[in-house]
Amino acid sequence: MDFAMQAQLGPKQEPISAHGHSHWNPYANTNGTSLAIAGEDFVLVASDTRQSDGYSINTRYDSKAFELSNSSVLAISICSADGKRLHEVLEQRAQVYYHKHDKHIGTQALAQLLSNTLYGRRMFPYYVFPILAGIGSDGRGVAYSYDALGNMKDVTHIAYGSASALVQPFLDNQVGHLNQRGADLDARLDREQARKVAIDAFTGATERDIYTGDWLEIYIVDANGVHKEVRELKHD
């Protein structure tokens, strides 16, 4: 084909399907890991503070666990922004409950409230897998795990986030006593044992998961309230 004929035909047209289209995604995975361990008269919640996007670290101190009342703690993972918004919504509703009834909302009621809140957003869900932990009405430690649509399960131990594939089997063995010959599957750890397991879980996770690290926030909830401890993790 000579130049004159090509000029008459005009530029070559690409098929419509070959044209690229920009894709908008309202969600972002900022990674990180959270866990909970329920004991006889306490519950422990732990989470790291690294917030990252791919191979970039946005900040080294972004809390993923929040105190909701004097007997409950919320932990989130995956999307930091959605997790913070969910925390604000629950905190506001817990305050409304307090002013209406002149008492703090119980952990079981708060767990159901969280499930209802997530289900109410099922058409445009919060991009989080939350953990709610606290002291139940009988004085025992309780922990609830959720998916993004509000399905809820009462658990003794749970891990969510980027290192959950590493941490959950460790908790199953050390807390749930699975794959231990002759172990009592119903036995619960004491407070110091649970604390050591949580620290070991995150210490090991930081060796393999680049999205978990920097600082570890540990919350222990008991009859006397919420106690917080901060420990250093790997920064690389």
Side-chain angles (χ1 to χ4, degrees), residues 84-143:
K84 287 180 171 59
R85 177 55 185 163
L86 179 60
H87 167 239
E88 290 175 357
V89 170
L90 289 177
E91 190 174 45
Q92 291 168 1
R93 295 182 179 178
Q95 289 176 356
V96 170
Y97 182 95
Y98 177 79
H99 292 301
K100 278 187 176 181
H101 304 281
D102 198 26
K103 65 177 181 179
H104 292 287
I105 186 171
T107 302
Q108 282 90 346
L110 192 56
Q112 187 61 56
L113 175 62
L114 174 54
S115 178
N116 295 345
T117 302
L118 293 171
Y119 185 72
R121 284 288 300 268
R122 64 191 180 279
M123 303 307 294
F124 191 8
Y126 293 111
Y127 190 36
V128 292
F129 284 79
I131 301 170
L132 182 70
I135 301 299
S137 57
D138 58 355
R140 301 190 75 191
V142 292

Side-chain angles (χ1 to χ4, degrees), residues 158-179:
I158 187 67
Y160 277 147
S162 57
S164 60
L166 301 171
V167 175
Q168 187 64 51
F170 180 70
L171 296 182
D172 289 340
N173 178 262
Q174 296 296 305
V175 182
H177 308 293
L178 298 182
N179 302 313

Side-chain angles (χ1 to χ4, degrees), residues 39 50 73 82 112 142 179 228:
R50 178 174 296 179
V73 171
D82 275 3
Q112 187 61 56
V142 292
N179 302 313
K228 181 180 178 181

Side-chain angles (χ1 to χ4, degrees), residues 23-95:
H23 178 67
W24 178 74
N25 187 352
Y27 298 114
N29 186 355
T30 54
N31 299 292
T33 306
S34 297
L35 66 79
I37 301 173
E40 285 293 339
D41 58 352
F42 74 95
V43 64
L44 180 146
V45 175
S47 63
D48 76 304
T49 63
R50 178 174 296 179
Q51 183 197 116
S52 57
D53 181 13
Y55 292 107
S56 300
I57 296 177
N58 298 329
T59 177
R60 294 187 181 275
Y61 206 104
D62 179 52
S63 295
K64 300 179 182 69
F66 312 95
E67 182 179 346
L68 285 175
S69 70
N70 62 348
S71 63
S72 59
V73 171
L74 172 72
I76 58 98
S77 59
I78 302 183
C79 182
S80 177
D82 275 3
K84 287 180 171 59
R85 177 55 185 163
L86 179 60
H87 167 239
E88 290 175 357
V89 170
L90 289 177
E91 190 174 45
Q92 291 168 1
R93 295 182 179 178
Q95 289 176 356

Side-chain angles (χ1 to χ4, degrees), residues 2 5 13 21 24 28 58 64 74 84 105 137 139 153 160 164 176 181 198 202 206-207 218 232 235:
D2 59 16
M5 185 177 293
Q13 297 294 321
H21 296 278
W24 178 74
N58 298 329
K64 300 179 182 69
L74 172 72
K84 287 180 171 59
I105 186 171
S137 57
K153 185 178 181 181
Y160 277 147
S164 60
R181 187 173 299 175
F202 276 92
T206 57
E207 297 289 342
I218 301 174
E232 193 170 5
H235 293 278

Side-chain angles (χ1 to χ4, degrees), residues 1 6 109-110 191 210:
M1 182 183 295
Q6 186 175 359
L110 192 56
R191 190 171 314 198
I210 64 173

